[in-house]
Short mmCIF file of all heavy atoms in Angstrom, two decimals:
data_model
loop_
_atom_site.label_atom_id
_atom_site.label_comp_id
_atom_site.label_asym_id
_atom_site.label_seq_id
_atom_site.Cartn_x
_atom_site.Cartn_y
_atom_site.Cartn_z
N LEU A 1 0.83 -1.21 0.00
CA LEU A 1 0.00 0.00 0.00
C LEU A 1 0.86 1.26 0.00
O LEU A 1 0.53 2.24 -0.68
CB LEU A 1 -0.95 0.00 1.20
CG LEU A 1 -2.08 -1.01 1.14
CD1 LEU A 1 -2.83 -1.05 2.46
CD2 LEU A 1 -3.03 -0.71 -0.01
N GLN A 2 1.96 1.25 0.75
CA GLN A 2 2.84 2.42 0.76
C GLN A 2 3.37 2.70 -0.63
O GLN A 2 3.42 3.86 -1.06
CB GLN A 2 4.00 2.20 1.73
CG GLN A 2 3.60 2.34 3.17
CD GLN A 2 4.72 2.04 4.14
OE1 GLN A 2 5.59 1.21 3.87
NE2 GLN A 2 4.71 2.72 5.27
N TRP A 3 3.76 1.67 -1.35
CA TRP A 3 4.25 1.86 -2.71
C TRP A 3 3.14 2.37 -3.63
O TRP A 3 3.37 3.22 -4.48
CB TRP A 3 4.86 0.57 -3.26
CG TRP A 3 6.26 0.39 -2.81
CD1 TRP A 3 6.72 -0.47 -1.86
CD2 TRP A 3 7.41 1.12 -3.26
NE1 TRP A 3 8.07 -0.31 -1.69
CE2 TRP A 3 8.53 0.65 -2.55
CE3 TRP A 3 7.60 2.13 -4.20
CZ2 TRP A 3 9.81 1.14 -2.74
CZ3 TRP A 3 8.88 2.62 -4.40
CH2 TRP A 3 9.96 2.14 -3.68
N GLN A 4 1.93 1.86 -3.45
CA GLN A 4 0.83 2.30 -4.29
C GLN A 4 0.40 3.73 -3.98
O GLN A 4 -0.18 4.40 -4.84
CB GLN A 4 -0.36 1.36 -4.16
CG GLN A 4 -0.15 0.05 -4.88
CD GLN A 4 -1.40 -0.77 -4.88
OE1 GLN A 4 -1.83 -1.25 -3.84
NE2 GLN A 4 -2.00 -0.93 -6.04
N CYS A 5 0.67 4.21 -2.77
CA CYS A 5 0.34 5.59 -2.40
C CYS A 5 1.31 6.59 -3.00
O CYS A 5 1.04 7.79 -3.01
CB CYS A 5 0.30 5.74 -0.88
SG CYS A 5 -1.16 5.00 -0.12
N ARG A 6 2.43 6.11 -3.50
CA ARG A 6 3.38 6.99 -4.18
C ARG A 6 2.88 7.20 -5.60
O ARG A 6 2.84 6.28 -6.40
CB ARG A 6 4.77 6.37 -4.20
CG ARG A 6 5.38 6.32 -2.84
CD ARG A 6 6.78 5.78 -2.93
NE ARG A 6 7.41 5.88 -1.63
CZ ARG A 6 8.68 5.62 -1.43
NH1 ARG A 6 9.46 5.24 -2.42
NH2 ARG A 6 9.19 5.74 -0.22
N ARG A 7 2.50 8.42 -5.89
CA ARG A 7 1.90 8.73 -7.18
C ARG A 7 2.79 9.71 -7.93
O ARG A 7 3.88 10.04 -7.50
CB ARG A 7 0.52 9.35 -6.96
CG ARG A 7 -0.39 8.59 -6.01
CD ARG A 7 -0.68 7.21 -6.49
NE ARG A 7 -1.68 7.25 -7.54
CZ ARG A 7 -2.59 6.33 -7.73
NH1 ARG A 7 -2.65 5.30 -6.93
NH2 ARG A 7 -3.45 6.43 -8.71
N GLY A 8 2.29 10.22 -9.05
CA GLY A 8 3.04 11.16 -9.83
C GLY A 8 2.82 12.61 -9.43
O GLY A 8 3.41 13.51 -10.01
N MET A 9 1.97 12.83 -8.44
CA MET A 9 1.65 14.19 -7.99
C MET A 9 1.93 14.31 -6.50
O MET A 9 1.49 13.48 -5.72
CB MET A 9 0.17 14.51 -8.21
CG MET A 9 -0.27 14.54 -9.62
SD MET A 9 -2.04 14.96 -9.66
CE MET A 9 -2.41 14.59 -11.34
N LEU A 10 2.63 15.34 -6.14
CA LEU A 10 2.98 15.55 -4.73
C LEU A 10 1.73 15.62 -3.85
O LEU A 10 1.71 15.06 -2.76
CB LEU A 10 3.82 16.82 -4.57
CG LEU A 10 4.24 17.18 -3.15
CD1 LEU A 10 5.09 16.06 -2.54
CD2 LEU A 10 4.98 18.50 -3.13
N GLU A 11 0.69 16.29 -4.33
CA GLU A 11 -0.54 16.43 -3.55
C GLU A 11 -1.12 15.06 -3.20
O GLU A 11 -1.52 14.81 -2.06
CB GLU A 11 -1.59 17.25 -4.31
CG GLU A 11 -1.21 18.67 -4.58
CD GLU A 11 -0.41 18.84 -5.88
OE1 GLU A 11 0.02 17.82 -6.47
OE2 GLU A 11 -0.23 19.98 -6.30
N LEU A 12 -1.15 14.18 -4.18
CA LEU A 12 -1.67 12.83 -3.94
C LEU A 12 -0.76 12.05 -3.00
O LEU A 12 -1.24 11.35 -2.10
CB LEU A 12 -1.83 12.07 -5.26
CG LEU A 12 -2.95 12.53 -6.18
CD1 LEU A 12 -2.96 11.70 -7.46
CD2 LEU A 12 -4.29 12.47 -5.49
N ASP A 13 0.54 12.16 -3.21
CA ASP A 13 1.49 11.48 -2.32
C ASP A 13 1.24 11.87 -0.87
O ASP A 13 1.16 11.01 0.01
CB ASP A 13 2.94 11.84 -2.67
CG ASP A 13 3.42 11.25 -3.98
OD1 ASP A 13 2.69 10.44 -4.58
OD2 ASP A 13 4.53 11.59 -4.39
N LEU A 14 1.10 13.15 -0.63
CA LEU A 14 0.93 13.64 0.74
C LEU A 14 -0.40 13.19 1.34
O LEU A 14 -0.45 12.73 2.48
CB LEU A 14 1.05 15.17 0.78
CG LEU A 14 2.41 15.73 0.41
CD1 LEU A 14 2.35 17.25 0.32
CD2 LEU A 14 3.48 15.28 1.38
N LEU A 15 -1.48 13.33 0.59
CA LEU A 15 -2.80 12.94 1.09
C LEU A 15 -2.89 11.43 1.36
O LEU A 15 -3.35 11.01 2.41
CB LEU A 15 -3.88 13.34 0.09
CG LEU A 15 -4.23 14.82 0.02
CD1 LEU A 15 -5.10 15.10 -1.20
CD2 LEU A 15 -4.93 15.25 1.29
N LEU A 16 -2.44 10.65 0.40
CA LEU A 16 -2.58 9.21 0.54
C LEU A 16 -1.66 8.63 1.61
O LEU A 16 -2.07 7.77 2.39
CB LEU A 16 -2.33 8.53 -0.81
CG LEU A 16 -3.35 8.83 -1.90
CD1 LEU A 16 -2.91 8.24 -3.23
CD2 LEU A 16 -4.73 8.34 -1.50
N GLN A 17 -0.42 9.11 1.66
CA GLN A 17 0.51 8.60 2.66
C GLN A 17 0.06 9.00 4.07
O GLN A 17 0.13 8.20 4.99
CB GLN A 17 1.93 9.10 2.40
CG GLN A 17 2.96 8.43 3.27
CD GLN A 17 3.02 6.92 3.07
OE1 GLN A 17 3.13 6.44 1.96
NE2 GLN A 17 2.92 6.17 4.16
N SER A 18 -0.41 10.22 4.22
CA SER A 18 -0.90 10.67 5.51
C SER A 18 -2.10 9.82 5.94
O SER A 18 -2.20 9.42 7.11
CB SER A 18 -1.30 12.15 5.45
OG SER A 18 -1.84 12.55 6.67
N PHE A 19 -2.99 9.53 5.01
CA PHE A 19 -4.13 8.69 5.34
C PHE A 19 -3.69 7.29 5.72
O PHE A 19 -4.19 6.72 6.69
CB PHE A 19 -5.12 8.63 4.17
CG PHE A 19 -6.28 7.73 4.46
CD1 PHE A 19 -7.25 8.11 5.36
CD2 PHE A 19 -6.37 6.49 3.86
CE1 PHE A 19 -8.31 7.26 5.66
CE2 PHE A 19 -7.42 5.64 4.15
CZ PHE A 19 -8.40 6.03 5.05
N LEU A 20 -2.76 6.74 4.98
CA LEU A 20 -2.26 5.40 5.31
C LEU A 20 -1.66 5.37 6.71
O LEU A 20 -1.89 4.44 7.47
CB LEU A 20 -1.24 4.95 4.27
CG LEU A 20 -0.77 3.50 4.36
CD1 LEU A 20 -1.92 2.52 4.20
CD2 LEU A 20 0.30 3.24 3.31
N ASP A 21 -0.96 6.42 7.07
CA ASP A 21 -0.32 6.49 8.39
C ASP A 21 -1.30 6.78 9.52
O ASP A 21 -1.11 6.30 10.64
CB ASP A 21 0.76 7.58 8.39
CG ASP A 21 1.95 7.24 7.51
OD1 ASP A 21 2.14 6.05 7.17
OD2 ASP A 21 2.69 8.17 7.16
N HIS A 22 -2.35 7.57 9.25
CA HIS A 22 -3.20 8.06 10.34
C HIS A 22 -4.67 7.67 10.28
O HIS A 22 -5.40 7.90 11.25
CB HIS A 22 -3.10 9.58 10.43
CG HIS A 22 -1.71 10.07 10.59
ND1 HIS A 22 -1.00 9.92 11.76
CD2 HIS A 22 -0.87 10.68 9.71
CE1 HIS A 22 0.22 10.44 11.60
NE2 HIS A 22 0.32 10.89 10.36
N GLY A 23 -5.13 7.12 9.16
CA GLY A 23 -6.55 6.82 9.05
C GLY A 23 -6.89 5.42 8.58
O GLY A 23 -7.97 4.91 8.88
N TYR A 24 -5.99 4.81 7.88
CA TYR A 24 -6.27 3.50 7.28
C TYR A 24 -6.66 2.44 8.31
O TYR A 24 -7.59 1.66 8.09
CB TYR A 24 -5.06 3.04 6.46
CG TYR A 24 -5.24 1.69 5.82
CD1 TYR A 24 -5.96 1.55 4.64
CD2 TYR A 24 -4.69 0.55 6.39
CE1 TYR A 24 -6.14 0.31 4.05
CE2 TYR A 24 -4.86 -0.70 5.81
CZ TYR A 24 -5.58 -0.81 4.64
OH TYR A 24 -5.75 -2.05 4.05
N ASP A 25 -5.99 2.41 9.43
CA ASP A 25 -6.23 1.39 10.44
C ASP A 25 -7.63 1.46 11.04
O ASP A 25 -8.10 0.49 11.63
CB ASP A 25 -5.19 1.46 11.55
CG ASP A 25 -3.81 1.06 11.06
OD1 ASP A 25 -3.71 0.27 10.11
OD2 ASP A 25 -2.81 1.54 11.64
N ARG A 26 -8.31 2.59 10.89
CA ARG A 26 -9.68 2.73 11.41
C ARG A 26 -10.73 2.19 10.44
O ARG A 26 -11.91 2.09 10.80
CB ARG A 26 -9.97 4.19 11.72
CG ARG A 26 -9.15 4.74 12.87
CD ARG A 26 -9.59 6.13 13.23
NE ARG A 26 -9.38 7.05 12.12
CZ ARG A 26 -8.60 8.12 12.16
NH1 ARG A 26 -7.95 8.43 13.27
NH2 ARG A 26 -8.48 8.90 11.11
N LEU A 27 -10.33 1.87 9.22
CA LEU A 27 -11.28 1.35 8.23
C LEU A 27 -11.65 -0.09 8.53
O LEU A 27 -10.82 -0.87 8.99
CB LEU A 27 -10.67 1.41 6.82
CG LEU A 27 -10.32 2.78 6.25
CD1 LEU A 27 -9.70 2.61 4.87
CD2 LEU A 27 -11.52 3.70 6.20
N ASP A 28 -12.90 -0.44 8.20
CA ASP A 28 -13.29 -1.85 8.29
C ASP A 28 -12.81 -2.57 7.02
O ASP A 28 -12.26 -1.95 6.11
CB ASP A 28 -14.80 -1.98 8.50
CG ASP A 28 -15.63 -1.42 7.36
OD1 ASP A 28 -15.14 -1.26 6.22
OD2 ASP A 28 -16.82 -1.12 7.60
N ALA A 29 -13.03 -3.86 6.97
CA ALA A 29 -12.51 -4.67 5.85
C ALA A 29 -13.06 -4.21 4.51
O ALA A 29 -12.32 -4.16 3.52
CB ALA A 29 -12.84 -6.14 6.09
N GLU A 30 -14.34 -3.86 4.46
CA GLU A 30 -14.94 -3.42 3.20
C GLU A 30 -14.33 -2.10 2.73
O GLU A 30 -14.04 -1.91 1.54
CB GLU A 30 -16.46 -3.27 3.36
CG GLU A 30 -17.15 -2.89 2.06
CD GLU A 30 -18.66 -2.79 2.20
OE1 GLU A 30 -19.21 -3.12 3.27
OE2 GLU A 30 -19.29 -2.36 1.23
N ALA A 31 -14.12 -1.18 3.64
CA ALA A 31 -13.53 0.12 3.29
C ALA A 31 -12.07 -0.05 2.90
O ALA A 31 -11.58 0.65 2.01
CB ALA A 31 -13.68 1.10 4.45
N ARG A 32 -11.36 -0.97 3.53
CA ARG A 32 -9.97 -1.23 3.14
C ARG A 32 -9.91 -1.77 1.72
O ARG A 32 -9.03 -1.41 0.94
CB ARG A 32 -9.31 -2.21 4.11
CG ARG A 32 -9.00 -1.58 5.43
CD ARG A 32 -8.33 -2.55 6.37
NE ARG A 32 -8.14 -1.90 7.67
CZ ARG A 32 -7.29 -2.32 8.58
NH1 ARG A 32 -6.55 -3.38 8.36
NH2 ARG A 32 -7.18 -1.67 9.71
N GLN A 33 -10.86 -2.62 1.38
CA GLN A 33 -10.93 -3.14 0.03
C GLN A 33 -11.23 -2.00 -0.97
O GLN A 33 -10.65 -1.94 -2.06
CB GLN A 33 -12.00 -4.22 -0.05
CG GLN A 33 -12.04 -4.96 -1.35
CD GLN A 33 -13.05 -6.09 -1.32
OE1 GLN A 33 -14.16 -5.92 -0.80
NE2 GLN A 33 -12.68 -7.22 -1.85
N ALA A 34 -12.10 -1.08 -0.59
CA ALA A 34 -12.41 0.06 -1.44
C ALA A 34 -11.19 0.97 -1.60
O ALA A 34 -10.94 1.49 -2.69
CB ALA A 34 -13.59 0.85 -0.87
N PHE A 35 -10.41 1.16 -0.52
CA PHE A 35 -9.19 1.97 -0.61
C PHE A 35 -8.21 1.32 -1.59
O PHE A 35 -7.62 2.01 -2.43
CB PHE A 35 -8.55 2.11 0.77
CG PHE A 35 -7.28 2.90 0.77
CD1 PHE A 35 -7.29 4.27 0.58
CD2 PHE A 35 -6.06 2.28 0.98
CE1 PHE A 35 -6.11 5.02 0.58
CE2 PHE A 35 -4.88 3.01 0.99
CZ PHE A 35 -4.91 4.38 0.79
N ASP A 36 -8.08 0.01 -1.51
CA ASP A 36 -7.19 -0.71 -2.43
C ASP A 36 -7.66 -0.52 -3.87
O ASP A 36 -6.86 -0.28 -4.77
CB ASP A 36 -7.17 -2.19 -2.04
CG ASP A 36 -6.04 -2.95 -2.69
OD1 ASP A 36 -4.94 -2.38 -2.87
OD2 ASP A 36 -6.25 -4.13 -3.01
N GLN A 37 -8.96 -0.58 -4.08
CA GLN A 37 -9.53 -0.36 -5.41
C GLN A 37 -9.27 1.07 -5.87
O GLN A 37 -8.93 1.32 -7.02
CB GLN A 37 -11.03 -0.65 -5.37
CG GLN A 37 -11.74 -0.47 -6.68
CD GLN A 37 -13.23 -0.70 -6.56
OE1 GLN A 37 -13.73 -1.17 -5.52
NE2 GLN A 37 -13.97 -0.37 -7.59
N LEU A 38 -9.42 2.02 -4.96
CA LEU A 38 -9.20 3.43 -5.27
C LEU A 38 -7.78 3.68 -5.76
O LEU A 38 -7.55 4.52 -6.64
CB LEU A 38 -9.49 4.27 -4.02
CG LEU A 38 -9.35 5.77 -4.13
CD1 LEU A 38 -10.42 6.33 -5.07
CD2 LEU A 38 -9.47 6.41 -2.76
N LEU A 39 -6.83 2.96 -5.21
CA LEU A 39 -5.43 3.16 -5.61
C LEU A 39 -5.16 2.73 -7.05
O LEU A 39 -4.12 3.08 -7.61
CB LEU A 39 -4.49 2.42 -4.64
CG LEU A 39 -4.47 2.97 -3.22
CD1 LEU A 39 -3.57 2.11 -2.34
CD2 LEU A 39 -4.03 4.42 -3.19
N ASP A 40 -6.10 2.03 -7.67
CA ASP A 40 -5.98 1.66 -9.09
C ASP A 40 -6.51 2.75 -10.01
O ASP A 40 -6.33 2.67 -11.22
CB ASP A 40 -6.72 0.35 -9.37
CG ASP A 40 -6.03 -0.85 -8.77
OD1 ASP A 40 -4.81 -0.81 -8.56
OD2 ASP A 40 -6.74 -1.84 -8.48
N TYR A 41 -7.15 3.77 -9.46
CA TYR A 41 -7.70 4.85 -10.27
C TYR A 41 -6.57 5.71 -10.84
O TYR A 41 -5.52 5.87 -10.21
CB TYR A 41 -8.62 5.75 -9.44
CG TYR A 41 -9.98 5.16 -9.14
CD1 TYR A 41 -10.19 3.79 -9.03
CD2 TYR A 41 -11.06 5.99 -8.93
CE1 TYR A 41 -11.45 3.28 -8.74
CE2 TYR A 41 -12.32 5.49 -8.63
CZ TYR A 41 -12.50 4.13 -8.55
OH TYR A 41 -13.74 3.63 -8.25
N PRO A 42 -6.79 6.31 -12.01
CA PRO A 42 -5.80 7.24 -12.56
C PRO A 42 -5.62 8.46 -11.64
O PRO A 42 -6.57 8.89 -10.97
CB PRO A 42 -6.40 7.68 -13.90
CG PRO A 42 -7.54 6.76 -14.17
CD PRO A 42 -7.95 6.15 -12.88
N ASP A 43 -4.42 8.99 -11.63
CA ASP A 43 -4.10 10.11 -10.75
C ASP A 43 -5.06 11.28 -10.91
O ASP A 43 -5.49 11.88 -9.93
CB ASP A 43 -2.67 10.60 -10.99
CG ASP A 43 -1.62 9.65 -10.47
OD1 ASP A 43 -1.99 8.66 -9.79
OD2 ASP A 43 -0.43 9.89 -10.72
#
């Protein structure tokens, strides 16, 4: 997930990495699956 949060835009890198560090662990299994799916979206 950390590697997938590294994107081509600094704004995305900062938002996604911060979320992974501070918010991801609060997600339930379904939301974690949706986050994983979201990381496949174009920047």
Side-chain angles (χ1 to χ4, degrees):
L1 289 172
Q2 285 176 328
W3 277 105
Q4 285 188 291
C5 286
R6 291 184 173 187
R7 311 299 282 214
M9 295 181 192
L10 179 60
E11 296 87 349
L12 290 179
D13 289 353
L14 295 173
L15 286 168
L16 294 173
Q17 189 61 51
S18 177
F19 178 72
L20 188 60
D21 292 341
H22 304 288
Y24 179 81
D25 292 332
R26 293 186 298 241
L27 297 179
D28 62 21
E30 184 178 354
R32 287 181 184 199
Q33 188 175 42
F35 179 72
D36 194 36
Q37 181 183 350
L38 181 67
L39 293 177
D40 289 335
Y41 284 29
D43 288 353

